[in-house]
Structures are given as structure tokens and as C-alpha cells.
Amino acid sequence: KKLTIEDLPGVGEATAEKLRENGYDDIMAIAVASPKDLADISGIAEGAAVKIINAARKYADVGNFETGEEILKRRKEVRKLSTGAQGLDNLIGGGLETQSITEFFGEFGSGKTQIMLQLAVNATMPEEQGGLNSDVLIIDTENTFRPERVIQMAKAKNLDPDETLKRIHVARAYNAHHQILLAEKASDIAKEFPIKLLIVDSLTSHFRSEYVGRGSLAERQQLLNKHMHDLLKFGTIFNAVIAVTNQVSANPAVFFGDPMTPIGGNIVGHTATFRLYLRKAKAGKRIARLIDSPYLPEGEAVITLTEDGIID
Ligand code: ADP
Ligand code: MG
């Protein structure tokens, strides 16, 4: 039998309920939690929280090691998805990687949704043309998916627009919990269709509007953390590209330079392998800056948003 959080000594029904409401819904989530977060959420003392975490660590499958050889084998399966703009592809080492999360963040109108739609169209194309020969799953949280725009972009690539639309599966997420649920269910759809691209546009908008104020920050971060890990797991299991968009807010602590920082802070930053910051420039141009890449240099590329889609 699979252990549930109620099986942990010190976790009664009421505590379990509070933990679940905050995204701590399995033993592993508790095993990696901080005692303070757990105490704050469930109202138990920090000492008691430490005991619960230690018990969870004993039960959890933390001994989940892979050999370097196994990781190399998995890395060899990595495929790349073209953005349609050569300069941007070069900046990120040839395209968006499978088995990773790529985050595009920027202000309203910076082109995040346009890039997602372009990626969706490109993903349906053969590998020789920078695609993944794949179906696409889009979790749309802002109701900004536009089939008309997909048709324009598909035509520009000489694709049959109806065939392209048939390969793009869109789910509207009505709130943060719904969004999390849709990501959990993504694997069901991937069993039916060859999904090699999963898009979440926007990753953070629901979390940002539903969890406001200092008091709910820990809860928001916990849920986002779980969500990001679900997405990454999907990318790893199905060898899929995960592309997410994120908003920015002005950080009042920044006096010099650009005060815009992505929502979700460290949680999103640590789980996304590639982070691209989009800034508006004149006449449909956007500047994409690569930030915090594990093995690529920081740098910028200019893209242009056109009727036909994203180009250099
Ligand atoms: P975000 O998702 O970052 O808020 P969008 O991806 O919606 O931003 O970008 C909107 C911008 O995309 C518009 O300001 C416009 O410059 C460009 N855009 C949208 N549709 C078209 C089109 N058909 N032709 C050219 N540019 C377009
Ligand atoms: Mg958008």
C-alpha cells in the first residue's frame, strides 16, 4: 500500500487536511519541506514539524540515485525545438531543449504569447525543419490562445492550418488549483497523443492574483514548486519541451538598472533550466536576454514579431 501523509506519526486528520490544502500532499513533499513552513501552515510547533519531516524522510524514496551513465543516456535523447528565429535559437544553443523547462518572462505585450503560439506551430513540423513532429498541449490561464493566429503562422510555414490546429490541444485553467490539476493530468493526454511540447501561458498569473499578501506567500511558493516539479517530470518522462511564460513586477529594492524581476522568485528560477527576459524595442522588435543558464553564456538576441510569426 502506498503510504499517505496520515501515516506519518504526529499527523492527524486536521493537520493532514491543512498540509494538503497547501500542496503538501505526499510524503516526498513533506520530506523536503522546511520545519518553519510546515509549522506555519499546520499550526503545530516547529519541534513537532521536525519530527514529522524526519519520519517522512525515512519513508520517502530519497535514495533515488541515477548513475552518470544513465543520465548521459537520457541526455542523448534530448531534442531541440526551433523558435523560428535563428538568432534566438543560437542564443539558447540551437533551440528549446526537451527534458527542461524554458521560461519566457517580460511585461505585458512583450511577445510571450506570440512565442508560445509560434512554438506550438513549429513543434508540429518534422525534426529536420526544427520541429518535434509532435502534438502540443497548451494550458491557457489568460484566455489568450487564438486559433486565427495559429492559422496565420501555419500558412507562413506552408503547413495545412487545419492539420496544425488538430494537433494543438488547449485547456483553459480557471484557477491555480485547476492549473495544477491539468498539469497532473497531462500524462493521460500524452498517452493518447504524441505530446513533445507542453506550454503553460501564463505560469504565474493565477498564483499571483489568488495568493496576495505576505501571509499567503509561503503557500503560493509551495504550490508553484509542486507545479514546476510536475511539469519537469512530464518533460523528463515524455522527452518533451516545457515552455512557460511569466510576468514581471518592479522590485522596489533595485535603484540602478532594470527593476523588473520575474514573479515566483527562486522557486521558478531554480526549476527553469533556461530563462529568457523579453524587452520591448521599437517597431515589433523584442530583445531576448538569456539569464542564469547552466552551461551557456549570457547574451541577447533580437527577434521581430510579424504577421507571419517570430523571425530574426
Ligand atoms: P504578452 O503575452 O507578453 O503579453 P503578446 O505575445 O500577446 O504579449 O504580444 C502582443 C504583441 O504581439 C503585440 O503588441 C504585437 O506587437 C504583436 N502581434 C500580435 N499579433 C500580431 C500580428 N498578427 N502581426 C504582428 N504582430 C503581432
Ligand atoms: Mg500573453
Side-chain angles (χ1 to χ4, degrees):
K1 162 186 177 269
K2 190 171 186 292
L3 292 174
T4 64
I5 59 173
E6 282 90 347
D7 293 316
L8 297 169
V11 178
E13 227 170 87
T15 308
E17 193 176 322
K18 283 200 188 113
L19 290 172
R20 278 219 173 81
E21 276 169 11
N22 288 284
Y24 292 92
D25 51 4
D26 62 20
I27 305 262
M28 185 55 104
I30 292 175
V32 298
S34 89
K36 185 168 183 316
D37 281 355
L38 219 60
D40 285 353
I41 282 162
S42 58
I44 56 174
E46 247 181 85
V50 170
K51 280 186 192 147
I52 291 172
I53 290 168
N54 284 341
R57 286 187 178 165
K58 229 187 290 170
Y59 293 139
D61 188 14
V62 254
N64 219 336
F65 290 98
E66 276 182 300
T67 65
E69 190 188 19
E70 284 162 343
I71 295 170
L72 181 65
K73 189 166 161 242
R74 188 148 51 69
R75 289 288 307 165
K76 280 189 179 146
E77 301 288 307
V78 167
R79 295 287 171 269
K80 291 188 178 177
L81 170 62
S82 171
T83 61
Q86 190 71 53
L88 180 53
D89 283 355
N90 291 344
L91 180 68
I92 54 178
L96 278 77
E97 282 189 0
T98 60
Q99 302 179 27
S100 296
I101 299 177
T102 302
E103 174 198 359
F104 291 84
F105 68 94
E107 283 180 78
F108 176 76
S110 59
K112 303 181 295 292
T113 296
Q114 298 302 310
I115 293 175
M116 295 305 112
L117 296 176
Q118 184 73 66
L119 290 171
V121 170
N122 294 357
T124 65
M125 297 181 19
E127 291 200 15
E128 310 82 71
Q129 293 173 40
L132 299 167
N133 190 20
S134 115
D135 278 31
V136 180
L137 196 57
I138 302 182
I139 299 177
D140 179 10
T141 74
E142 296 180 321
N143 200 17
T144 50
F145 176 79
R146 292 290 175 275
E148 300 82 358
R149 196 68 183 108
V150 169
I151 291 171
Q152 284 180 334
M153 290 175 173
K155 280 183 180 160
K157 297 272 181 199
N158 291 319
L159 299 170
D160 177 340
D162 294 330
E163 288 305 314
T164 308
L165 283 172
K166 269 187 208 152
R167 301 192 74 173
I168 302 175
H169 311 260
V170 185
R172 237 351 260 294
Y174 293 97
N175 55 50
H177 274 96
H178 188 208
Q179 181 179 336
I180 288 173
L181 186 70
L182 288 170
E184 287 172 357
K185 298 281 173 218
S187 52
D188 293 346
I189 299 164
K191 280 167 198 148
E192 213 177 317
F193 302 99
I195 311 275
K196 297 279 171 205
L197 171 62
L198 169 56
I199 289 170
V200 186
D201 182 20
S202 130
L203 176 75
T204 45
S205 57
H206 283 317
F207 290 91
R208 187 187 195 182
S209 63
E210 288 167 41
Y211 298 88
V212 278
R214 287 281 301 138
S216 57
L217 192 64
E219 185 183 348
R220 182 180 91 179
Q221 294 304 83
Q222 178 61 34
L223 285 173
L224 254 178
N225 188 34
K226 181 214 170 341
H227 186 45
M228 290 293 281
H229 281 97
D230 286 346
L231 295 172
L232 192 55
K233 195 165 145 196
F234 180 93
T236 310
I237 292 174
F238 294 98
N239 195 24
V241 169
I242 311 293
V244 304
T245 68
N246 194 358
Q247 296 156 313
V248 288
S249 67
N251 180 352
V254 175
F255 293 106
F256 301 102
D258 192 338
M260 289 307 189
T261 50
I263 306 293
N266 291 340
I267 295 289
V268 176
H270 289 158
T271 326
T273 311
F274 300 100
R275 314 193 84 182
L276 287 151
Y277 177 28
L278 296 168
R279 288 189 332 271
K280 287 186 205 172
K282 53 186 169 192
K285 300 239 183 266
R286 300 291 186 271
I287 300 158
R289 160 166 277 276
L290 180 67
I291 298 179
D292 292 343
S293 163
Y295 56 85
L296 292 169
E298 278 206 8
E300 292 186 343
V302 179
I303 57 170
T304 314
L305 310 177
T306 72
E307 177 93 22
D308 286 347
I310 312 293
I311 59 168
D312 275 298

PDB file of all heavy atoms in Angstrom, residues 273-286:
ATOM      1  N   THR A 273      15.343  25.640 -16.508  1.00  0.00           N
ATOM      2  CA  THR A 273      16.729  25.483 -16.931  1.00  0.00           C
ATOM      3  C   THR A 273      17.182  26.699 -17.723  1.00  0.00           C
ATOM      4  O   THR A 273      18.306  27.145 -17.621  1.00  0.00           O
ATOM      5  CB  THR A 273      16.893  24.228 -17.795  1.00  0.00           C
ATOM      6  OG1 THR A 273      16.254  23.148 -17.120  1.00  0.00           O
ATOM      7  CG2 THR A 273      18.349  23.887 -18.000  1.00  0.00           C
ATOM      8  N   PHE A 274      16.269  27.213 -18.551  1.00  0.00           N
ATOM      9  CA  PHE A 274      16.589  28.393 -19.344  1.00  0.00           C
ATOM     10  C   PHE A 274      15.590  29.480 -19.016  1.00  0.00           C
ATOM     11  O   PHE A 274      14.384  29.231 -18.998  1.00  0.00           O
ATOM     12  CB  PHE A 274      16.524  28.078 -20.840  1.00  0.00           C
ATOM     13  CG  PHE A 274      17.477  26.997 -21.239  1.00  0.00           C
ATOM     14  CD1 PHE A 274      17.042  25.696 -21.414  1.00  0.00           C
ATOM     15  CD2 PHE A 274      18.822  27.280 -21.419  1.00  0.00           C
ATOM     16  CE1 PHE A 274      17.933  24.687 -21.767  1.00  0.00           C
ATOM     17  CE2 PHE A 274      19.724  26.285 -21.769  1.00  0.00           C
ATOM     18  CZ  PHE A 274      19.274  24.985 -21.944  1.00  0.00           C
ATOM     19  N   ARG A 275      16.091  30.679 -18.771  1.00  0.00           N
ATOM     20  CA  ARG A 275      15.221  31.826 -18.505  1.00  0.00           C
ATOM     21  C   ARG A 275      15.528  32.904 -19.518  1.00  0.00           C
ATOM     22  O   ARG A 275      16.684  33.303 -19.681  1.00  0.00           O
ATOM     23  CB  ARG A 275      15.458  32.417 -17.104  1.00  0.00           C
ATOM     24  CG  ARG A 275      15.554  31.433 -15.988  1.00  0.00           C
ATOM     25  CD  ARG A 275      15.458  32.152 -14.644  1.00  0.00           C
ATOM     26  NE  ARG A 275      14.060  32.366 -14.293  1.00  0.00           N
ATOM     27  CZ  ARG A 275      13.672  33.008 -13.195  1.00  0.00           C
ATOM     28  NH1 ARG A 275      14.562  33.571 -12.397  1.00  0.00           N
ATOM     29  NH2 ARG A 275      12.389  33.134 -12.932  1.00  0.00           N
ATOM     30  N   LEU A 276      14.506  33.370 -20.194  1.00  0.00           N
ATOM     31  CA  LEU A 276      14.690  34.426 -21.187  1.00  0.00           C
ATOM     32  C   LEU A 276      13.839  35.623 -20.823  1.00  0.00           C
ATOM     33  O   LEU A 276      12.631  35.496 -20.569  1.00  0.00           O
ATOM     34  CB  LEU A 276      14.309  33.902 -22.571  1.00  0.00           C
ATOM     35  CG  LEU A 276      15.332  32.927 -23.161  1.00  0.00           C
ATOM     36  CD1 LEU A 276      14.663  31.943 -24.087  1.00  0.00           C
ATOM     37  CD2 LEU A 276      16.439  33.687 -23.885  1.00  0.00           C
ATOM     38  N   TYR A 277      14.487  36.772 -20.770  1.00  0.00           N
ATOM     39  CA  TYR A 277      13.808  38.011 -20.414  1.00  0.00           C
ATOM     40  C   TYR A 277      13.533  38.785 -21.697  1.00  0.00           C
ATOM     41  O   TYR A 277      14.450  39.089 -22.449  1.00  0.00           O
ATOM     42  CB  TYR A 277      14.704  38.809 -19.464  1.00  0.00           C
ATOM     43  CG  TYR A 277      14.173  40.164 -19.059  1.00  0.00           C
ATOM     44  CD1 TYR A 277      12.803  40.419 -19.015  1.00  0.00           C
ATOM     45  CD2 TYR A 277      15.036  41.189 -18.681  1.00  0.00           C
ATOM     46  CE1 TYR A 277      12.325  41.662 -18.633  1.00  0.00           C
ATOM     47  CE2 TYR A 277      14.575  42.427 -18.287  1.00  0.00           C
ATOM     48  CZ  TYR A 277      13.213  42.660 -18.270  1.00  0.00           C
ATOM     49  OH  TYR A 277      12.741  43.893 -17.883  1.00  0.00           O
ATOM     50  N   LEU A 278      12.246  39.077 -21.950  1.00  0.00           N
ATOM     51  CA  LEU A 278      11.850  39.774 -23.173  1.00  0.00           C
ATOM     52  C   LEU A 278      11.587  41.243 -22.880  1.00  0.00           C
ATOM     53  O   LEU A 278      10.843  41.582 -21.962  1.00  0.00           O
ATOM     54  CB  LEU A 278      10.570  39.154 -23.738  1.00  0.00           C
ATOM     55  CG  LEU A 278      10.663  37.697 -24.214  1.00  0.00           C
ATOM     56  CD1 LEU A 278       9.265  37.141 -24.456  1.00  0.00           C
ATOM     57  CD2 LEU A 278      11.507  37.610 -25.480  1.00  0.00           C
ATOM     58  N   ARG A 279      12.235  42.098 -23.672  1.00  0.00           N
ATOM     59  CA  ARG A 279      12.002  43.539 -23.534  1.00  0.00           C
ATOM     60  C   ARG A 279      11.527  44.098 -24.857  1.00  0.00           C
ATOM     61  O   ARG A 279      11.966  43.671 -25.917  1.00  0.00           O
ATOM     62  CB  ARG A 279      13.300  44.253 -23.140  1.00  0.00           C
ATOM     63  CG  ARG A 279      13.713  43.989 -21.737  1.00  0.00           C
ATOM     64  CD  ARG A 279      14.869  44.852 -21.229  1.00  0.00           C
ATOM     65  NE  ARG A 279      15.831  45.350 -22.173  1.00  0.00           N
ATOM     66  CZ  ARG A 279      16.943  44.695 -22.536  1.00  0.00           C
ATOM     67  NH1 ARG A 279      17.199  43.491 -22.079  1.00  0.00           N
ATOM     68  NH2 ARG A 279      17.801  45.256 -23.355  1.00  0.00           N
ATOM     69  N   LYS A 280      10.643  45.094 -24.756  1.00  0.00           N
ATOM     70  CA  LYS A 280      10.142  45.734 -25.971  1.00  0.00           C
ATOM     71  C   LYS A 280      11.209  46.654 -26.561  1.00  0.00           C
ATOM     72  O   LYS A 280      11.883  47.368 -25.831  1.00  0.00           O
ATOM     73  CB  LYS A 280       8.904  46.571 -25.656  1.00  0.00           C
ATOM     74  CG  LYS A 280       7.672  45.751 -25.373  1.00  0.00           C
ATOM     75  CD  LYS A 280       6.471  46.681 -25.217  1.00  0.00           C
ATOM     76  CE  LYS A 280       5.409  46.025 -24.363  1.00  0.00           C
ATOM     77  NZ  LYS A 280       4.308  46.915 -24.023  1.00  0.00           N
ATOM     78  N   ALA A 281      11.339  46.617 -27.882  1.00  0.00           N
ATOM     79  CA  ALA A 281      12.139  47.604 -28.597  1.00  0.00           C
ATOM     80  C   ALA A 281      11.208  48.186 -29.659  1.00  0.00           C
ATOM     81  O   ALA A 281      10.031  47.845 -29.694  1.00  0.00           O
ATOM     82  CB  ALA A 281      13.373  46.964 -29.208  1.00  0.00           C
ATOM     83  N   LYS A 282      11.737  49.017 -30.556  1.00  0.00           N
ATOM     84  CA  LYS A 282      10.791  49.674 -31.462  1.00  0.00           C
ATOM     85  C   LYS A 282      10.332  48.769 -32.604  1.00  0.00           C
ATOM     86  O   LYS A 282      10.982  47.780 -32.927  1.00  0.00           O
ATOM     87  CB  LYS A 282      11.404  50.976 -32.000  1.00  0.00           C
ATOM     88  CG  LYS A 282      12.753  50.803 -32.628  1.00  0.00           C
ATOM     89  CD  LYS A 282      13.332  52.164 -32.994  1.00  0.00           C
ATOM     90  CE  LYS A 282      14.789  51.997 -33.376  1.00  0.00           C
ATOM     91  NZ  LYS A 282      15.556  53.172 -33.487  1.00  0.00           N
ATOM     92  N   ALA A 283       9.193  49.122 -33.190  1.00  0.00           N
ATOM     93  CA  ALA A 283       8.652  48.503 -34.407  1.00  0.00           C
ATOM     94  C   ALA A 283       8.619  46.980 -34.392  1.00  0.00           C
ATOM     95  O   ALA A 283       9.241  46.336 -35.219  1.00  0.00           O
ATOM     96  CB  ALA A 283       9.448  48.989 -35.618  1.00  0.00           C
ATOM     97  N   GLY A 284       7.896  46.413 -33.459  1.00  0.00           N
ATOM     98  CA  GLY A 284       7.730  44.960 -33.455  1.00  0.00           C
ATOM     99  C   GLY A 284       8.954  44.179 -33.015  1.00  0.00           C
ATOM    100  O   GLY A 284       8.924  42.962 -32.956  1.00  0.00           O
ATOM    101  N   LYS A 285      10.044  44.880 -32.724  1.00  0.00           N
ATOM    102  CA  LYS A 285      11.258  44.183 -32.281  1.00  0.00           C
ATOM    103  C   LYS A 285      11.203  43.913 -30.783  1.00  0.00           C
ATOM    104  O   LYS A 285      10.646  44.698 -30.004  1.00  0.00           O
ATOM    105  CB  LYS A 285      12.504  45.025 -32.596  1.00  0.00           C
ATOM    106  CG  LYS A 285      12.676  45.330 -34.063  1.00  0.00           C
ATOM    107  CD  LYS A 285      13.999  44.806 -34.571  1.00  0.00           C
ATOM    108  CE  LYS A 285      14.251  45.161 -36.017  1.00  0.00           C
ATOM    109  NZ  LYS A 285      13.833  44.129 -36.947  1.00  0.00           N
ATOM    110  N   ARG A 286      11.772  42.783 -30.392  1.00  0.00           N
ATOM    111  CA  ARG A 286      11.884  42.440 -28.980  1.00  0.00           C
ATOM    112  C   ARG A 286      13.288  41.939 -28.714  1.00  0.00           C
ATOM    113  O   ARG A 286      13.873  41.247 -29.543  1.00  0.00           O
ATOM    114  CB  ARG A 286      10.898  41.326 -28.611  1.00  0.00           C
ATOM    115  CG  ARG A 286       9.430  41.656 -28.838  1.00  0.00           C
ATOM    116  CD  ARG A 286       8.928  42.718 -27.856  1.00  0.00           C
ATOM    117  NE  ARG A 286       7.492  42.940 -27.967  1.00  0.00           N
ATOM    118  CZ  ARG A 286       6.927  43.818 -28.791  1.00  0.00           C
ATOM    119  NH1 ARG A 286       7.677  44.545 -29.616  1.00  0.00           N
ATOM    120  NH2 ARG A 286       5.607  43.959 -28.820  1.00  0.00           N
TER     121      ARG A 286
END
